Amino acid sequence: MARVWNFSAGPATLPLPVLERIRDELLDWHGAGMGVMEMSHRGKQFTSIIEAAEADLRELLNIPANYRVLFLQGGATQQFAQIPMNLLGAGRSADYIVTGAWSKKAFAEAKRFGAVRCAASTEAEGFLNLPKAHDFDAAAAYVHLCTNETIHGVEYLADPVLPGAAPLVADMSSHLLSRPVDVSRYGMIYGGAQKNVGPAGLTLVIVRDDLVGHAPASIPTVMDYAVQAANGSMLNTPPTFPIYAAGLVFQWLKAEGGLAAIDRVNAEKAALLYACIDNSGGFYRNPVDPACRSRMNVPFTLADPALDAAFLAESQQAGLVGLKGHKSFGGMRASIYNALPLSGVQALVEFMNEFARRH
Ligand SMILES: *Cc1c(COP(=O)(O)O)cnc(C)c1O
């Protein structure tokens, strides 16, 4: 078996011990005589799986008791609509901070549901930094932001401190569980699982109790956080297999020492890759302000774009895949999530140094 180093932004690489465990349990989960994909979501066996997953996630993130954990579907993109549907309330407004492609999309979608404002945007400067000032509306129902912009490689490297802001609603799709987070500083945290948490098909929502239950009567039942919370995310069939796999990722993270431990590894990985870029004498370039360079998604360009094709072909041959940049950014992007170990980043840096020497 030849596993590659997979730098794909998502769906992305998963921890090898988790994949091996899934393989071992695929046909027969804990003596059930069937696999998790084949189980009733209402049965005792799956109930124990989803309860353990929630307990482990609560432990990892230290989630306070007054927050609900929801295991939903539809991806972060569905949340772009579901958030205003649930949280906007009658006649209220919400503030959006736009720091890259994803928060811009969230803002555009929210406009379909009510009066929303842009409280700050870094688009004019090319999404290379975080806003220095905000124009918050004191009456806003919430403030939406994306704490790690997967495409532009811009990250809030600590929980944001935003005086005067309404409850923060954070899209953490691409860095959830990459470091400790003070959940109590947010009204809601959400993300698609397929970046840093598990397989595609699962969307995590962590929402404070007092924000739930204000949706208009016209909201589709399946979209209502209050109904999902009251039914333990089982109003209808939840994404059982992705919940099981994410639960194994939570167990793996705990065994690795939790989020403080993975945070240290992630810091080391990112420092190594950015140093390679910055010390390349201009051969590679990342234009993002170092104060907010993403530790998960590292976009970079080659000084000579004519070398892009050779870089991609040769890196692929070296067993390094998924490095092609997003079409809106060009160049390359290395996503270095929790499951991509330091040795994978070392292999990439070695290749990059050697490629720069040869060209
Ligand atoms: C990938 C991504 C999304 C979109 O996620 P889907 O699950 O495909 O809807 C939204 N926000 C961020 C920050 C992302 O990285």
Side-chain angles (χ1 to χ4, degrees):
M1 180 190 63
R3 296 266 303 165
V4 294
W5 295 123
N6 178 5
F7 296 91
S8 169
T13 190
L14 285 164
L16 188 57
V18 167
L19 294 172
E20 287 169 340
R21 176 96 178 263
I22 291 171
R23 177 196 61 200
D24 293 346
E25 296 179 346
L26 195 64
L27 305 188
D28 180 10
W29 181 83
H30 295 206
M34 60 178 155
V36 176
M37 267 188 277
E38 308 165 283
M39 283 175 187
S40 165
H41 60 296
R42 308 266 178 213
K44 240 199 300 221
Q45 289 147 334
F46 185 74
T47 301
S48 75
I49 289 171
I50 193 170
E51 285 177 356
E54 177 170 345
D56 287 335
L57 182 65
R58 283 185 176 276
E59 185 182 330
L60 281 166
L61 278 170
N62 198 15
I63 300 175
N66 63 324
Y67 285 74
R68 295 305 109 221
V69 173
L70 306 178
F71 296 96
L72 305 178
Q73 305 189 48
T77 303
Q78 182 170 302
Q79 291 307 311
F80 294 168
Q82 208 168 338
I83 288 162
M85 284 171 113
N86 277 273
L87 304 187
L88 211 42
R92 292 188 75 186
S93 167
D95 284 344
Y96 277 70
I97 300 174
V98 177
T99 54
W102 288 114
S103 50
K104 188 178 171 182
K105 273 198 177 164
F107 180 44
E109 183 72 3
K111 285 180 188 164
R112 300 162 57 93
F113 296 91
V116 293
R117 303 165 62 249
C118 177
S121 170
T122 56
E123 184 166 17
E125 303 105 75
F127 293 135
L128 301 177
N129 42 40
L130 292 172
K132 281 156 202 71
H134 304 79
D135 168 28
F136 289 126
D137 171 6
Y142 62 88
V143 173
H144 182 280
L145 74 170
C146 175
T147 44
N148 185 56
E149 286 284 357
T150 320
I151 294 172
H152 288 88
V154 175
E155 179 174 7
Y156 287 82
L157 294 172
D159 294 318
V161 179
L162 299 170
L168 300 182
V169 172
D171 178 356
M172 293 197 184
S173 292
S174 49
H175 74 161
L176 186 60
L177 301 180
S178 70
R179 68 171 199 235
V181 164
D182 182 354
V183 174
S184 71
R185 310 258 301 250
Y186 301 84
M188 175 174 152
I189 289 168
Y190 71 99
Q194 72 275 15
K195 310 293 171 50
N196 201 34
V197 170
L202 169 65
T203 310
L204 288 174
V205 168
I206 302 164
V207 60
R208 210 171 64 205
D209 280 337
D210 61 287
L211 296 176
V212 172
H214 308 297
S218 62
I219 192 173
T221 311
V222 74
M223 304 287 258
D224 190 337
Y225 295 148
V227 175
Q228 289 289 3
N231 287 277
S233 308
M234 291 221 229
L235 169 73
N236 63 330
T237 316
T240 53
F241 196 77
I243 290 169
Y244 155 71
L248 295 180
V249 172
F250 303 157
Q251 287 176 27
W252 171 76
L253 279 169
K254 283 171 62 177
E256 292 289 302
L259 299 190
I262 207 81
D263 181 32
R264 285 191 289 275
V265 182
N266 286 331
E268 190 179 351
K269 282 152 50 184
L272 186 63
L273 183 48
Y274 283 115
C276 165
I277 293 166
D278 292 342
N279 298 333
S280 68
F283 191 89
Y284 304 109
R285 195 165 161 276
N286 169 288
V288 176
D289 177 352
C292 56
R293 280 173 160 181
S294 172
R295 301 192 326 177
M296 292 281 103
N297 309 97
V298 181
F300 60 93
T301 51
L302 277 63
D304 179 5
L307 288 174
D308 282 4
F311 183 93
L312 286 168
E314 292 177 29
S315 57
Q316 174 102 27
Q317 274 199 325
L320 310 159
V321 310
L323 287 165
K324 191 172 169 39
H326 191 274
K327 57 186 185 301
S328 67
F329 200 94
M332 310 298 153
R333 172 175 50 172
S335 295
I336 49 176
Y337 297 124
N338 288 347
L340 198 287
L342 178 63
S343 47
V345 178
Q346 285 166 338
L348 173 62
V349 164
E350 240 168 73
F351 169 81
M352 286 170 66
N353 286 337
E354 190 257 345
F355 185 88
R357 254 195 314 275
R358 271 190 294 114
H359 296 279

